[in-house]
Amino acid sequence: MIQLLNIEKIYRTDTIETTALNNVNININKGEFVSIMGPSGCGKSTLLNIMGLLDAPTGGSITMDNQSVTSFSRKRLAAFRNLKLGFIFQSYHLINDLSVIDNVELPLLYRSGISGAERRKRALEALGKVGLSARTKHYPNQLSGGQRQRVAIARAIIGNPEILLADEPTGNLDSAMGDEVMNLMLHLNKTDGTTIVMVTHDEQMAKKTQRVIHFFDGQQVS
Ligand code: ADP
Ligand code: ADP
């Protein structure tokens, strides 16, 4: 599903050059749930941004869903990202002055040919999947951290993405809420077959996934 071949990422400014990723080769199969662990600064976020097509590598190639995305134009990349990928962040990234359901509908606003009624219907379905059907009219600051992350997950899955990329999705949550969010992701992986790549510092969470990739200093070490 995701093939990274000889990926290199060097951040360059006038005076500093930082190698964030060095010769990274990773293959992630369709339907896999993989976690990525490693110390701060080892390149995890850079890797996730590159897999999410948010940032381009300085070397190497990426194949996603059998398409060579490294050669795509910006416009095609954006369309591909919108259609195939869903994102979850540690800090939820919800819009505080939009209601829960309006937050969840957002990704569909950037797709053509979906009516307002269809957006509502799909947002309600997504909120049902994350167990928040009773919170559609609430605002993010009226919810617990775990509930906010579940809203973010509903937003991430409303477009039926084939790949979910999660950057420390349980990092701001206590263990009970973290478990709730983790169980939800395990469920999505199992029932919808969604491929999931999760960066985490939490060994307990990583253990629940099918494979753990360990990073150190810009490289995969195991
Ligand atoms: P992690 O997510 O594992 O903490 P990052 O991917 O954020 O690691 O960072 C990897 C390395 O790249 C670090 O040395 C960091 O300082 C550097 N880095 C990250 N983003 C930038 C940037 N925009 N400009 C320059 N250096 C960066
Ligand atoms: P942190 O793990 O440090 O709290 P986040 O999880 O908030 O960081 O974000 C991880 C990365 O994703 C950052 O490099 C950030 O620039 C990027 N990012 C955050 N929100 C968005 C967004 N809505 N769209 C695109 N990129 C984002």
Side-chain angles (χ1 to χ4, degrees), residues 35-66:
S35 37
I36 296 174
M37 297 195 81
S40 186
C42 72
K44 304 180 298 295
S45 293
T46 301
L47 182 71
L48 213 61
N49 284 343
I50 284 177
M51 281 190 189
L53 311 177
L54 298 164
D55 200 3
T58 47
S61 62
I62 308 170
T63 308
M64 223 175 245
D65 203 15
N66 293 318

Side-chain angles (χ1 to χ4, degrees), residues 120-140:
R120 277 278 122 151
K121 181 172 153 273
R122 288 176 62 175
L124 287 170
E125 280 169 13
L127 283 163
K129 279 192 183 177
V130 303
L132 284 178
S133 300
R135 293 287 184 278
T136 60
K137 294 197 172 114
H138 283 62
Y139 284 79

Side-chain angles (χ1 to χ4, degrees), residues 133-164:
S133 300
R135 293 287 184 278
T136 60
K137 294 197 172 114
H138 283 62
Y139 284 79
N141 61 15
Q142 299 171 317
L143 302 176
S144 72
Q147 289 173 331
R148 287 182 208 194
Q149 192 59 297
R150 278 150 58 200
V151 173
I153 292 174
R155 182 185 55 188
I157 63 172
I158 191 172
N160 297 320
E162 289 172 53
I163 302 169
L164 264 186

Side-chain angles (χ1 to χ4, degrees), residues 49 54 89-91 93 167:
N49 284 343
L54 298 164
F89 304 97
Q90 176 171 4
S91 46
H93 290 285
D167 195 352

Side-chain angles (χ1 to χ4, degrees), residues 88-107:
I88 308 169
F89 304 97
Q90 176 171 4
S91 46
Y92 326 125
H93 290 285
L94 297 175
I95 296 177
N96 284 324
D97 51 12
L98 290 182
S99 67
V100 161
I101 194 156
D102 286 340
N103 266 285
V104 173
E105 281 184 26
L106 277 178

